[in-house]
Amino acid sequence: MPYYGHHAASVPGKVLTRLGLKQVDVDVALEDLRDPDARVRREVVAALLPAEPARLWTDGPDVAAAAEVWLREVGRRPTVPATLVAETSKALGTGWAPRRALPALLDPAGAPELSRDLAWRVGDYGSRRPIRTPPVSPQPCSPAP
C-alpha cells in the first residue's frame, strides 16, 4: 500500500489537493490501518481486485468488496474529524490514544474498552492488576430450589 508503514512519508501535495485531503487526514487514516492485523489488511487489499482482474483497468478496484471485508473484520466506527484527533493528541498525555478513545466515547457499546468488564487479579500486598485475557462471560444464575 503506498505511503504505508512505520516510516510513512508525506503524501505529495498534488495528491492531497486532488483528493481534497490534508496530511493530518492521511496520518490518522494510516494509524487506523495499523489497528487490524496483517491478515485483515491483506484480505482488504485482496478484495480490491475484481473477480475478473481485467475489470480493474476499466472499472477500477472493487471498493464495495473491500469495504465489506473491513466491516466484517473491523466493524463500523464513529467518524471523528482528523483535525480533532490531532488536536486532542497534542493536548492530552494519556495512555489511551485519542484516535481510539474519541470513537469509543461516541459509541461506548461498540468499544470493548467501555462495554466489557475487566477481570482483575489481586497480587502481593493487595496490589491489583488487570488480567490481559478477555474475561469469561458470566453464566446465568440458576434459580434456588
Side-chain angles (χ1 to χ4, degrees):
M1 293 186 304
Y3 309 108
Y4 178 78
H6 294 291
H7 304 290
S10 295
V11 176
K14 289 180 181 179
V15 173
L16 292 173
T17 301
R18 177 81 181 209
L19 295 173
L21 299 173
K22 296 178 183 170
Q23 185 62 44
V24 68
D25 299 318
V26 174
D27 294 342
V28 170
L30 289 173
E31 282 297 316
D32 284 344
L33 286 174
R34 287 188 183 98
D35 285 345
D37 63 25
R39 176 194 61 80
V40 172
R41 290 191 307 264
R42 281 191 302 269
E43 284 185 30
V44 169
V45 172
L48 289 167
L49 185 64
E52 287 182 42
R55 290 185 46 220
L56 181 62
W57 310 117
T58 58
D59 300 341
D62 192 345
V63 176
E68 184 178 315
V69 171
W70 180 270
L71 291 174
R72 181 184 70 237
E73 296 293 332
V74 178
R76 187 174 303 276
R77 294 186 265 183
T79 302
V80 178
T83 51
L84 178 59
V85 172
E87 290 301 316
T88 306
S89 297
K90 289 178 194 173
L92 299 177
T94 68
W96 198 11
R99 69 179 190 76
R100 304 269 309 151
L102 292 171
L105 293 171
L106 292 171
D107 180 22
E113 299 90 345
L114 298 179
S115 62
R116 287 192 319 221
D117 286 339
L118 185 62
W120 291 84
R121 175 181 21 234
V122 177
D124 297 335
Y125 307 106
S127 64
R128 294 176 298 237
R129 286 192 209 159
I131 298 172
R132 294 289 177 188
T133 57
V136 176
S137 300
Q139 299 299 316
C141 295
S142 302

